[in-house]
């Protein structure tokens, strides 16, 4: 890619931590874990409340002239309600000898002392380094980049996509691998936190009951973000984030969950959305208003790729034939509403926005960065039917979208998703019962970072599903060039080992002009 800031940017330089964190890690290796953090306040001298950058730094939503920079002040001794001044710096080099933007911003208690900074006027298609200073302490250094300008065609874009990182189910070796490989972008596709504990053989604990209040959601993000491997992945590249259900509660749909609906549920959704924004590298404009948050948006990477980032939770019609406000597997015979043309997963407004974006896109690739499996998945004979929480609960909406894509033929339609805790590769057709017709899009799901899943037999009715593996955790890395996409499924050898190896499981290739995945290495 033009202007890539040198291979030196990879690896250890990305996400380099300040002496503070190295010391903390050293002390932890001596078994001094948490108390060691307190030493920092003392080391800082005077009356410091302690090292405030315990959740690391992050960046996101790159544009040709800027990006969003994020941190949250969370020192060991709680901050009071007074705003805290935070300095920020953006440099062209990791040593900050060439600082190109700097400023100050207030971290406010009502925003959990998070900051969202949006420097503008930077050069397109290059790497930058950033850091914050507050309370006499400097943050870790993050690495981020601007997007190439529209009208330019970069030679390539390498991005990781990942989802579902239940903290109790394993360590974040996959994030360590992402940080080490230093992609241009990371797309995180939902279930960044889990509101509740579940699963077997947990390696660590939430240490708290199910989150339902703003304070509890904030604490849950703080716990997840205390993980150094997750911090390293954030510090290595800009992220594009969307959410799925567990950022609020399992299987919620619009204003309804299993436990509550209407105003009672919306109060919880407002708290959850607020905490999500406070902890993500999202622009200030994305700050929720009550229970409403505009998360769907586009991020372009020159003329090479457009990311259509989707929200399939907030605007959907309810899961058809749900018995308890949640999901289930149902057959078409018992639930004809699976095919209801009035049902929508994205909401009518977002559907139209997506169609307009696909119709007007002139990029070689169009990535639908969304939450759940789009390919039809028949569960037979074990659980006869279709799972009504994903696109399989919204047959007609999926058909509308795939028909539209087949008709308008935007460049390289690539659907990436999460949610199912399995690797999945599929050729998408408007009519899955006509496997002889050419696919109109290609789908990949990058399993889960940690969340438990298991492999179930594929049904012969679904020949469009080329691969499914629920036994391996990991993520996927896609390299887009104007001609083709190379997609590597990368799996974690041992989720119970923080230092686990992560290696390529399978490699697929997709031609930009011809949808459909081809296995080239396994
Ligand atoms: Fe999940
Ligand atoms: Ca989910």
């Amino acid at each position: 890619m033009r202007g890539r800031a040198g291979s030196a940017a990879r690896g250890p330089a990305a996400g380099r931590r300040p002496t503070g964190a190295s010391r903390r890690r050293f002390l932890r290796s001596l078994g001094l874990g948490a108390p060691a953090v307190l030493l920092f306040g003392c080391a800082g001298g005077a009356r410091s409340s302690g090292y405030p950058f315990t959740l690391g730094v992050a960046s996101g939503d790159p544009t040709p002239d800027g990006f969003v920079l994020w941190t949250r002040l969370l020192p060991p001794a709680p901050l009071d309600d007074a705003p805290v001044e935070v300095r920020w710096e953006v440099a062209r080099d990791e040593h900050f000898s060439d600082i190109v933007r700097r400023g100050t911003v207030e971290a406010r208690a009502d925003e959990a002392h998070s900051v969202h900074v949006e420097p503008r006027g930077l050069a397109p298609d290059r790497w930058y380094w950033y850091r914050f200073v507050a309370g006499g302490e400097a943050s870790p250094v993050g690495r981020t980049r601007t997007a190439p300008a529209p009208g330019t065609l970069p030679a390539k874009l390498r991005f990781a996509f990942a989802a579902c990182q239940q903290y109790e189910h394993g360590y974040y070796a996959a994030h360590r691998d992402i940080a080490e490989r230093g992609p241009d972008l990371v797309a995180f596709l939902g279930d960044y936190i889990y509101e509740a504990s579940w699963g077997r053989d947990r390696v660590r604990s939430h240490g708290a009951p199910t989150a339902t209040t703003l304070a509890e959601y904030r604490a849950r993000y703080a716990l997840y973000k205390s993980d150094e491997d997750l911090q390293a992945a954030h510090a290595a590249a800009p992220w594009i984030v969307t959410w799925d259900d567990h950022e609020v509660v399992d299987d919620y749909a619009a204003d309804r969950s299993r436990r509550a609906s209407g105003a009672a549920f919306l109060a919880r959704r407002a708290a959850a959305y607020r905490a999500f924004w406070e902890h993500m590298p999202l622009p200030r404009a994305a700050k929720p208003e009550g229970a409403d948050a505009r998360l769907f948006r586009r991020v372009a990477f020159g003329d090479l790729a457009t990311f259509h980032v989707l929200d399939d939770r907030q605007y959907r019609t309810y899961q058809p034939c749900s018995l308890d406000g949640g999901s289930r597997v149902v057959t078409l015979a018992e639930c004809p509403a699976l095919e209801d043309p009035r049902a929508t997963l994205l909401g009518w407004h977002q559907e139209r926005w997506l169609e307009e974006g696909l119709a007007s896109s002139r990029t070689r690739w169009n990535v639908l960065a969304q939450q759940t499996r789009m390919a039809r998945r028949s569960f037979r004979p074990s659980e006869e039917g279709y799972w009504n929480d994903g696109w399989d609960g919204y047959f007609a909406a999926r058909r509308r979208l795939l028909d539209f894509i087949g008709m308008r033929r935007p460049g390289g339609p690539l659907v990436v998703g999460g949610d199912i805790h399995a690797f999945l590769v599929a050729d998408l057709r408007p009519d899955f019962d006509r496997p002889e017709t050419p696919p109109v899009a290609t789908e990949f799901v990058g399993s889960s970072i940690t969340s438990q899943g298991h492999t179930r037999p594929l049904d012969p009715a679904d020949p469009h599903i080329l691969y499914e593996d629920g036994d391996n955790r990991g993520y996927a890395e896609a390299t887009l060039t104007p001609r083709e996409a190379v997609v590597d499924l990368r799996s974690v050898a041992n989720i119970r080992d923080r230092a686990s190896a992560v290696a390529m499981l399978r490699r697929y290739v997709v031609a930009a002009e011809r949808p459909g995945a081809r296995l080239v290495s396994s």
Side-chain angles (χ1 to χ4, degrees):
M1 166 202 329
R2 245 175 6 91
R4 190 180 155 123
S7 53
R10 273 214 197 189
R16 171 191 298 237
R17 296 177 182 87
T19 47
S22 337
R23 224 180 326 164
R24 197 156 69 239
R25 201 179 315 152
F26 172 70
L27 289 166
R28 187 191 297 146
S29 72
L30 296 177
L32 295 175
V37 178
L38 291 167
L39 293 177
F40 280 102
C42 310
R47 250 196 52 73
S48 167
S49 56
Y51 181 71
F53 299 106
T54 53
L55 305 185
V57 299
S59 69
D61 283 23
T63 64
D65 79 332
F67 30 68
V68 180
L69 304 178
W70 173 92
T71 193
R72 177 189 167 196
L73 309 181
L74 188 63
L79 293 168
D80 59 26
D81 282 352
V84 180
E85 190 174 270
V86 180
R87 286 199 288 127
W88 57 271
E89 293 175 338
V90 175
R92 277 198 275 249
D93 65 310
E94 62 181 296
H95 306 295
F96 289 81
S97 51
D98 187 8
I99 293 173
V100 290
R101 287 286 182 287
R102 55 163 39 117
T104 60
V105 61
E106 265 189 1
R108 289 163 29 196
D110 72 318
E111 295 179 349
H113 294 101
S114 64
V115 303
H116 302 74
V117 177
E118 293 162 70
R120 290 287 167 229
L122 299 169
D125 197 16
R126 67 154 295 156
W127 290 96
Y128 288 93
W129 284 260
Y130 63 96
R131 67 184 173 196
F132 301 90
V133 175
E137 300 274 5
S139 77
V141 171
R143 187 187 79 141
T144 191
R145 59 163 302 143
T146 50
T152 64
L153 184 62
K156 77 178 176 187
L157 160 65
R158 194 162 51 90
F159 72 98
F161 56 96
C164 295
Q165 50 186 17
Q166 220 289 5
Y167 180 86
E168 299 171 309
H169 291 185
Y171 293 108
Y172 294 159
H175 281 306
R176 191 205 65 232
D177 189 61
I178 290 173
E180 286 171 1
R181 295 183 60 77
D184 295 297
L185 275 176
V186 177
F188 198 88
L189 305 174
D191 291 357
Y192 188 100
I193 58 157
Y194 281 76
E195 84 290 1
S197 297
W198 58 281
R200 56 191 186 277
D201 304 330
R202 300 176 197 166
V203 303
R204 47 188 179 178
S205 169
H206 283 159
T210 300
T212 61
T213 66
L214 179 55
E216 289 164 347
Y217 283 113
R218 282 172 172 169
R220 188 59 47 86
Y221 283 99
L223 176 68
Y224 280 51
K225 284 180 154 290
S226 68
D227 185 283
E228 288 198 3
D229 293 317
L230 176 56
Q231 290 186 17
H234 273 296
W239 284 39
I240 303 173
V241 298
T242 187
W243 54 37
D244 193 28
D245 51 343
H246 288 285
E247 283 85 354
V248 182
V249 60
D250 184 38
D251 282 351
Y252 86 92
D255 67 349
R256 185 179 84 167
S257 72
R258 282 194 183 83
R259 291 273 175 83
S261 62
F265 177 72
L266 289 176
R268 181 177 185 181
R269 195 179 92 176
Y273 283 9
R274 174 63 173 255
F276 180 82
W277 176 80
E278 287 173 348
H279 292 85
M280 292 296 141
L282 287 165
R284 286 208 69 84
K287 183 176 174 180
E289 292 186 24
D292 301 318
R294 163 83 183 242
L295 195 59
F296 65 88
R297 63 201 188 280
R298 274 184 265 279
V299 175
F301 204 82
D303 286 354
L304 183 59
T306 304
F307 289 81
H308 307 263
V309 186
L310 306 184
D311 173 357
D312 77 12
R313 286 286 160 191
Q314 192 175 176
Y315 314 107
R316 61 161 72 190
T317 48
Y318 298 150
Q319 295 95 342
C321 309
S322 169
L323 296 177
D324 62 351
S327 64
R328 60 189 284 239
V329 172
V330 279
T331 61
L332 273 168
E334 69 184 294
C335 184
L338 285 169
E339 296 186 304
D340 186 350
R342 293 163 306 174
T344 170
L345 191 67
L346 300 175
W348 298 103
H349 176 64
Q350 187 179 194
E351 269 195 35
R352 199 79 343 101
W353 169 90
L354 177 58
E355 288 181 357
E356 283 165 12
L358 289 169
S360 62
S361 167
R362 290 169 51 220
T363 53
R364 300 293 176 100
W365 293 94
N366 284 279
V367 182
L368 272 59
Q370 52 96 53
Q371 290 80 21
T372 82
R373 174 187 49 233
M374 191 174 286
R376 186 186 72 184
R377 174 66 157 97
S378 313
F379 292 105
R380 279 182 293 206
S382 54
E383 300 166 82
E384 188 70 27
Y386 304 100
W387 185 52
N388 68 353
D389 186 66
W391 285 95
D392 271 338
Y394 303 81
F395 271 57
R398 175 173 59 200
R399 176 86 196 232
R400 278 196 298 278
L401 177 57
L402 292 175
D403 270 337
F404 184 87
I405 290 174
M407 201 172 60
R408 302 300 288 259
R409 301 187 156 276
L414 213 52
V415 176
V416 299
D419 187 41
I420 58 171
H421 305 176
F423 286 109
L424 175 114
V425 182
D427 291 345
L428 299 178
R429 299 181 170 85
D431 185 348
F432 290 108
D433 287 325
R434 293 181 60 204
E436 73 282 5
T437 57
V440 300
T442 320
E443 176 175 28
F444 293 92
V445 180
S447 190
S448 54
I449 293 284
T450 52
S451 305
Q452 292 167 2
H454 64 275
T455 299
R456 286 180 284 196
L458 284 170
D459 190 290
D462 297 330
H464 52 274
I465 298 181
L466 309 178
Y467 180 63
E468 192 183 81
D469 167 6
D471 293 329
N472 280 297
R473 311 278 67 85
Y475 71 100
E477 184 187 88
T479 303
L480 306 183
T481 68
R483 294 171 56 101
E484 65 177 22
V486 176
V487 182
D488 289 355
L489 312 182
R490 297 185 62 80
S491 75
V492 177
N494 179 3
I495 202 66
R496 306 181 67 81
D497 177 9
R498 200 182 280 278
S500 171
V502 180
M504 190 182 82
L505 185 66
R506 287 181 158 227
R507 168 171 289 173
Y508 288 84
V509 171
V510 181
E513 309 258 303
R514 193 152 48 88
R518 194 158 45 83
L519 176 68
V520 292
S521 177
S522 63

